[in-house]
Amino acid sequence: MHKDSTVPAFSIHPDTGVIVTARKFDRERQREYAVTVTATDQAADPLIGICQLNILILDQNDNSPKFENLRYEYFLREDTMIGTSFLRVAAHDDDFGTNAAVTYSMSNEQPEYLRVNPLTGWVYVNQPISQRTYITRDIVATDGGNRSSSVELAVTITNVKNQPPHWEKNSYSVVIPENTVRDTAIVTIKATSPLGDPRVTYNLEDGMVPETNMPVRFYLTPNREDGSASILVAEPLDYETTRNFMLRVRAQNVAAVPLAAFTTVYINVTAVSLISLSESSSEPLIHSLS
């Protein structure tokens, strides 16, 4: 039995009862199928029996890990101690089980000023960096099926006298309903520069997965009056599709040698229930149903 206007995923031989596939499958799109089969006898007044089958689609390692960001950039003072962890990279894999288990590694370039923890993704200082001004490395994410992807990490080494902008908060958290209209400001963030010019420029870092704003669901606009910035909704949100977002925002000071600092905005999307919608209408939905 098939629901109206749906493309059948399986077919059955009318005499033998053998079920066969009717198309290709993608576990990342649909992992389980509920199939209803009817059996009819050939009596003058036929009787019908019904059987329900649940068919699970097994995983194939057909997805490579995806980093949350297109590129990672950081600024370290030249006196940063060995062993200091300063940045956490993260990649996600759409596969399942072992195929989705991600480990991290770094391009093997000498000397090894930086290393990455293979399990957590935290990048840390491995050797003194005072003699360097710029370090670039590729970070590789590899899944359990040996598929991999890489991203560039660029680290600028700064003088101890230079200071990047200071964020008012290390992170921001906000809760919004899924029916928040487009162009609504949901949070105001602010950073200031400890250097001569207090002004900073803001940039919302590009993401690679829905949780980090790809496709774009939020955008940033500066507020010139007080030097802050606002995060606004760019497109309609859907609680069932993506419930949590983690946006990375860069603040850079205005100087001959500009420095940057980062903060994270955590957004929790809540569902809008049918009852909530009915309470906001002029006539409660429960009355109309009764």
Side-chain angles (χ1 to χ4, degrees):
M1 298 176 63
H2 303 291
K3 294 181 180 180
D4 294 338
S5 71
T6 60
V7 178
F10 304 92
S11 62
I12 189 169
H13 192 283
D15 297 323
T16 66
V18 174
I19 297 176
V20 298
T21 57
R23 60 180 173 86
K24 291 184 177 181
F25 298 92
D26 186 351
R27 192 203 66 89
E28 284 70 49
R29 291 181 177 272
Q30 186 169 346
R31 305 179 182 184
E32 184 175 355
Y33 292 82
V35 177
T36 302
V37 178
T38 63
T40 308
D41 63 25
Q42 300 183 28
D45 294 321
L47 299 178
I48 297 177
I50 297 177
C51 176
Q52 186 77 32
L53 301 176
N54 288 322
I55 301 175
L56 304 179
I57 306 302
L58 298 178
D59 184 51
Q60 182 180 16
N61 190 34
D62 53 356
N63 293 279
S64 298
K66 293 181 180 179
F67 279 96
E68 290 182 345
N69 295 85
L70 294 172
R71 184 173 183 265
Y72 290 92
E73 186 174 3
Y74 210 84
F75 295 80
L76 283 177
R77 286 173 36 141
E78 61 183 351
D79 59 347
T80 302
M81 296 179 60
I82 295 175
T84 301
S85 298
F86 60 91
L87 174 68
R88 187 179 186 182
V89 299
H92 304 277
D93 195 298
D94 290 332
D95 291 311
F96 179 75
T98 304
N99 290 335
V102 176
T103 57
Y104 303 93
S105 60
M106 187 172 291
S107 55
N108 189 19
E109 299 179 41
Q110 299 297 327
E112 290 186 303
Y113 293 110
L114 308 174
R115 284 185 178 176
V116 60
N117 185 299
L119 299 180
T120 65
W122 275 103
V123 181
Y124 60 93
V125 177
N126 184 58
Q127 293 185 18
I129 58 175
S130 58
Q131 302 302 316
R132 303 288 297 177
T133 57
Y134 198 67
I135 300 172
T136 59
R137 294 291 187 270
D138 287 333
I139 299 178
V140 181
T142 306
D143 65 18
N146 210 33
R147 295 178 68 105
S148 63
S149 59
S150 63
V151 69
E152 183 186 54
L153 167 64
V155 178
T156 300
I157 312 302
T158 68
N159 187 280
V160 293
K161 296 181 179 180
N162 292 341
Q163 296 186 48
H166 292 166
W167 283 99
E168 289 186 342
K169 296 181 180 180
N170 292 328
S171 64
Y172 297 79
S173 298
V174 61
V175 179
I176 59 173
E178 62 179 340
N179 63 345
T180 303
V181 298
R182 184 180 300 174
D183 299 324
T184 298
I186 60 172
V187 64
T188 298
I189 57 180
K190 187 175 182 179
T192 55
S193 174
L195 303 178
D197 192 333
R199 295 176 300 166
V200 301
T201 58
Y202 298 96
N203 183 61
L204 186 58
E205 298 285 281
D206 293 329
M208 288 286 286
V209 294
E211 290 77 9
T212 58
N213 210 30
M214 178 57 67
V216 174
R217 291 290 177 264
F218 302 92
Y219 67 97
L220 181 148
T221 182
N223 303 316
R224 296 185 178 181
E225 297 79 9
D226 61 356
S228 64
S230 296
I231 303 291
L232 298 89
V233 177
E235 295 292 340
L237 306 174
D238 184 1
Y239 171 82
E240 284 72 25
T241 301
T242 309
R243 303 180 182 184
N244 298 283
F245 293 88
M246 184 178 66
L247 310 181
R248 193 162 180 258
V249 184
R250 169 195 178 107
Q252 182 169 300
N253 54 22
V254 180
V257 182
L259 302 180
F262 300 87
T263 192
T264 303
V265 179
Y266 297 95
I267 302 171
N268 182 22
V269 179
T270 59
V272 177
S273 66
L274 189 61
I275 294 177
S276 298
L277 291 174
S278 67
E279 290 175 347
S280 63
S281 63
S282 57
E283 182 178 352
L285 179 61
I286 188 171
H287 290 175
S288 63
L289 292 175
S290 62

